[in-house]
Amino acid sequence: MQVMTPKGPAAVEIDEAEDPRLLLVMTHGAGGGVDSPDLLAVRDAALAVGATVARVTQAFRVKGARAPGNAAAQDEAWVSVVNALRERFPGLPLVQGGRSNGARLACRTAKSVGALTVVALAFPVHPPGKPERSRVGELREAGVDVLVVNGDRDPFGIPGAEDAAKLVVLPGENHGLNKNPARVGEIVAEWLTRYA
């Protein structure tokens, strides 16, 4: 599926649950794609608990850019994608999330799209080696409960337990969360069952 946004087309891959109980909309990090091991594991685990899953390649990535640029423009494009998905799947409770930059985006836009909760994978608290440039405000100000799954070796930092409704820190994992992606999926599925 393609959705036209104010920043160009976004690509959406949809996996429909047999008897859907909620809609989970997930996206990638700044330089990544929707086929990262953790996003695929989340998709599989979410489908198993009755979530229809939409993985969104944002407009900036469809264009070939590696960085999203202006946050307000990124948010505007995201909201248009989520609104289109809500029209396609009316009545399903919405959960949104992403990995890294996508987690920031999901937190910033949660209230405006009416998300019940946010799933934040590898939330980047700060650029590597620059803890003074904290982004934790985006997490704290999501306005909904946020599940954060980070690795204990993440060079982008780890949020504090007080920054999220639930924080899971996986030992031995770095920013990619790719050592045991199935575990990431299990954690997210358990969280989703609260909202389905």
Side-chain angles (χ1 to χ4, degrees), residues 87-100:
E87 284 179 24
R88 180 166 173 176
F89 299 102
L92 285 182
L94 171 69
V95 175
Q96 70 173 9
R99 71 164 347 276
S100 193

Side-chain angles (χ1 to χ4, degrees), residues 97-119:
R99 71 164 347 276
S100 193
N101 175 269
R104 295 177 62 198
L105 169 67
C107 288
R108 290 195 308 260
T109 60
K111 283 176 71 175
S112 64
V113 298
L116 294 177
T117 185
V118 169
V119 173

Side-chain angles (χ1 to χ4, degrees), residues 19-43:
D19 183 20
R21 301 180 333 185
L22 60 82
L23 172 62
L24 173 63
V25 185
M26 297 288 289
T27 193
H28 50 77
V34 295
D35 291 330
S36 63
D38 56 345
L39 289 180
L40 292 176
V42 167
R43 176 201 61 193

Side-chain angles (χ1 to χ4, degrees), residues 2-12 26-34 39 56-81 97-106 108:
Q2 194 173 74
V3 177
M4 187 53 67
T5 80
K7 295 298 167 188
V12 185
M26 297 288 289
T27 193
H28 50 77
V34 295
L39 289 180
V56 178
T57 302
Q58 296 174 61
F60 77 90
R61 290 296 289 150
V62 171
K63 287 181 186 174
R66 289 190 58 80
N70 178 283
Q74 183 188 21
D75 293 356
E76 181 186 17
W78 176 257
V79 169
S80 66
V81 172
R99 71 164 347 276
S100 193
N101 175 269
R104 295 177 62 198
L105 169 67
R108 290 195 308 260

